[in-house]
Amino acid sequence: MHVALVLGSANRPDGPSPNLLRRARHGAQLWHEGRVQALVGTGGVGGGTESEAEAIARVLMAEGVPDSAIRQEREARDTLENIRLSLPLLRELGATEVLIVSDAVHCPRAVMTARAHGLSARAAPVPFRGSHLRSQSWLALRECAAIPLYWWRLHR
């Protein structure tokens, strides 16, 4: 079974961030196109009142994905935990391939982490349209430091 792992992003008191909305909507599109049979939203409670995973599930359902196709991992605080804490749900679903749904600059680190945990993973990057240049620039700068750090953490 092909499963989309929709990685969380900021969830604020006033609702999901634009990045979280874009990721969830892209996951819904993958489901509607038949590229995945299930979706796992992952992410814990940040600044909002609900977890990132709950916000992802709410957006997926609003986009027409049935509740039966959605699972939630509600504790993760970073990319490593997104992957590690989602493993039991992915096993339960019988995932044979995982499509990592995140921003394009974040996908290489997320896929590297998923593969280090034994998953057959590919990137399903969210289209850039609708994103803010400032947000994407910040993500790109963060990844410059995070990729080598994660590689070291995963291979020591």
Side-chain angles (χ1 to χ4, degrees):
M1 172 183 283
H2 290 87
V3 178
L5 184 60
V6 182
L7 303 185
S9 188
N11 191 33
R12 303 177 180 130
D14 62 341
S17 68
N19 282 347
L20 187 71
L21 285 171
R22 288 175 42 255
R23 292 176 186 185
R25 289 177 178 148
H26 187 59
Q29 181 181 350
L30 294 172
W31 186 84
H32 285 295
E33 291 172 356
R35 293 180 56 196
V36 297
Q37 291 76 47
L39 300 105
V40 175
T42 176
V45 175
T49 56
E50 65 182 355
S51 71
E52 293 168 358
E54 290 167 318
I56 290 166
R58 191 168 37 78
V59 173
L60 290 171
M61 287 187 284
E63 294 288 322
V65 178
D67 183 54
S68 61
I70 302 168
R71 303 292 185 282
Q72 298 177 39
E73 179 292 301
R74 300 180 187 137
E75 303 297 323
R77 296 168 292 171
D78 60 25
T79 304
L80 185 60
E81 288 186 358
N82 286 143
I83 304 300
R84 187 174 52 80
L85 297 176
S86 295
L87 289 173
L89 294 171
L90 295 169
R91 279 191 216 107
E92 174 188 307
L93 288 165
T96 55
E97 183 172 53
V98 178
L99 296 182
I100 305 290
V101 178
S102 190
D103 292 270
V105 297
H106 182 226
C107 280
R109 178 166 56 103
V111 169
M112 173 182 68
T113 303
R115 289 178 179 167
H117 282 82
L119 295 173
S120 174
R122 288 187 302 127
V126 177
F128 187 73
R129 74 181 177 282
S131 181
H132 299 287
L133 182 59
R134 192 174 101 203
S135 171
Q136 291 301 308
S137 298
W138 169 246
L139 282 172
L141 284 173
R142 184 184 73 184
E143 291 307 305
C144 288
I147 288 173
L149 175 64
Y150 266 60
W151 186 91
W152 179 78
R153 287 175 72 183
L154 293 167
H155 295 95
R156 61 183 169 137

